[in-house]
Amino acid sequence: MNFKQLALSFLLGACALSASAQIRTLEFGFQSDNDSFLAQGSDRYYTNGLFIYYRRGMEIKTNGKLVNKVLGIEVGQKIFNPISGSINDANNRPQPSFIDRPFAGYLYAGATLNLLYRNESNFKIGAQVGVVGPAAKGKQAQQVIHDTFGFYELSGWEYQIRNTPVINLSLDYNRLLLRNQWADLTAFAYVNAGTAFNNAGIGPMVRLGNFNQLFNSYSTQSTATRNAIAPLHKRELFFYYKPMINVVVYDATIQGALINKKDDAGSMEITSEPKPLMLSHQIGVGFSGKRVNLGFEVAVHSRDVKTQRYSTHQWGSLNVAYRFGK
């Protein structure tokens, strides 16, 4: 081997080592949703969510259409209440008529498989098992939050949705439509089906700033990878806007059990009916560095329950993740 060949081999090896050093196969993070993040003084409807997740980049063939595959595991809890977490009147007496959206907690564990293709489309398949109702500990979690931060006393959880088991499947789809140096446009669609949530939605997503391909981006939860992917940018920092039209067929946090609807003599459950068509808007910023992902989003939804007093509700969502491993 002459000097030129030796030098070339060294440079190629150094490049391969550098590329592999950028690979982070594992990701651990959490997401917190709360309407108090927007400092509006409101505490209504979807009032709190907490999620912990783990993602792992999977091995794939390097010369195929599939360019990244990510396995995800998640546990989470969502809490819903009416216009307020207290339905007491001025005389401190409970008023069930104040319940314009049912009290409900949802606790679950789930898994996803994210299949990301070279043409910048992806399918994310998911499954969740859990429970809606008192077993989800929504009241207890909200009580801890209110006690910790000195918020008002809760009342009305005795009217919450009864226990109902949840087995749900989901499918998300993204597809790049067009892109220039600082902006791109993606089509998005989802569908959920199961014993608790049956709905679907569609809409576009616009990204502005420094973003990577959809197979290795914060916006598609695909920054964990086992493959040496050449990104558009070493770091992502972009703003996004994602409006959607959502069709709701069934929601157990509003309507109660889809199955086993027999009356429970001891139950004080108050249910309602969902709006079949709901509009939503997500506006946020995402950052992905060598090891850390950060994001903040504002979500605004139109009325999703027919009896809701307010025509819209909104909350903030904070996402933090750390990548490690090779």
Side-chain angles (χ1 to χ4, degrees):
M1 179 180 291
N2 61 33
F3 177 77
K4 288 183 178 180
Q5 290 174 321
L6 183 63
L8 182 59
S9 297
F10 176 79
L11 288 173
L12 290 174
C15 290
L17 182 62
S18 175
S20 66
Q22 301 302 313
I23 297 174
R24 306 292 178 217
T25 62
L26 308 176
E27 184 173 280
F28 178 80
F30 75 90
Q31 178 179 322
S32 178
D33 299 345
N34 200 289
D35 46 6
S36 66
F37 288 160
L38 303 183
Q40 298 182 108
S42 64
D43 187 22
R44 57 178 178 258
Y45 310 144
Y46 175 46
T47 184
N48 190 74
L50 182 62
F51 317 92
I52 300 172
Y53 59 85
Y54 167 83
R55 295 174 185 145
R56 181 184 184 91
M58 309 295 287
E59 203 160 332
I60 59 171
K61 294 180 179 179
T62 57
N63 58 352
K65 293 181 179 180
L66 193 66
V67 70
N68 196 10
K69 181 166 64 173
V70 182
L71 175 67
I73 299 173
E74 179 177 290
V75 294
Q77 183 193 52
K78 294 183 177 183
I79 302 173
F80 303 86
N81 59 231
I83 190 172
S84 171
S86 172
I87 61 166
N88 285 355
D89 62 16
N91 297 315
N92 207 32
R93 293 176 299 191
Q95 297 294 327
S97 61
F98 290 174
I99 300 177
D100 62 337
R101 197 260 189 245
F103 284 95
Y106 173 43
L107 183 68
Y108 72 91
T112 59
L113 183 62
N114 200 355
L115 304 173
L116 302 114
Y117 295 89
R118 200 174 299 277
N119 66 355
E120 298 199 53
S121 64
N122 83 293
F123 290 95
K124 186 166 74 169
I125 306 160
Q128 294 181 355
V129 294
V131 63
V132 171
K137 304 298 181 184
K139 175 185 177 181
Q140 291 85 340
Q142 191 175 39
Q143 189 68 62
V144 168
I145 295 170
H146 280 229
D147 289 347
T148 301
F149 295 99
F151 296 157
Y152 60 86
E153 281 294 317
L154 300 176
S155 71
W157 274 94
E158 62 270 27
Y159 299 102
Q160 71 176 298
I161 298 295
R162 290 183 295 158
N163 282 330
T164 181
V166 176
I167 301 175
N168 246 77
L169 301 176
S170 64
L171 177 64
D172 295 359
Y173 175 72
N174 292 275
R175 178 64 185 260
L176 178 68
L177 298 179
L178 55 91
R179 170 179 295 146
N180 63 27
Q181 185 176 1
W182 301 106
D184 69 4
L185 177 66
T186 301
F188 171 79
Y190 77 90
V191 60
N192 296 316
T195 64
F197 306 104
N198 291 281
N199 49 33
I202 190 170
M205 179 176 67
V206 177
R207 299 190 295 178
L208 302 172
N210 286 349
F211 45 75
N212 283 331
Q213 303 97 318
L214 294 182
F215 48 69
N216 185 213
S217 177
Y218 173 89
S219 59
T220 51
Q221 301 86 49
S222 57
T223 50
T225 180
R226 189 175 289 274
N227 309 290
I229 295 172
L232 296 175
H233 302 278
K234 290 183 178 179
R235 294 176 177 83
E236 290 187 295
L237 179 59
F238 60 88
F239 295 91
Y240 62 89
Y241 172 52
K242 190 175 181 180
M244 282 190 290
I245 298 174
N246 306 271
V247 177
V248 180
V249 178
Y250 205 92
D251 185 330
T253 69
I254 299 170
Q255 297 166 275
L258 177 63
I259 56 178
N260 191 29
K261 279 184 168 292
K262 62 182 180 182
D263 291 335
D264 182 348
S267 172
M268 300 172 67
E269 174 189 50
I270 292 179
T271 62
S272 189
E273 290 295 321
K275 294 277 288 184
L277 191 66
M278 186 265 291
L279 303 178
S280 63
H281 304 268
Q282 296 166 240
I283 305 167
V285 57
F287 169 82
S288 177
K290 186 176 180 180
R291 290 185 178 271
V292 175
N293 288 354
L294 298 171
F296 185 76
E297 176 181 286
V298 175
V300 181
H301 282 212
S302 68
R303 182 183 282 113
D304 54 9
V305 178
K306 292 180 179 179
T307 53
Q308 276 181 208
R309 186 179 305 180
Y310 286 88
S311 59
T312 64
H313 62 114
Q314 49 278 324
W315 63 88
S317 180
L318 175 67
N319 196 306
V320 179
Y322 182 78
R323 292 194 305 282
F324 55 99
K326 290 180 66 175

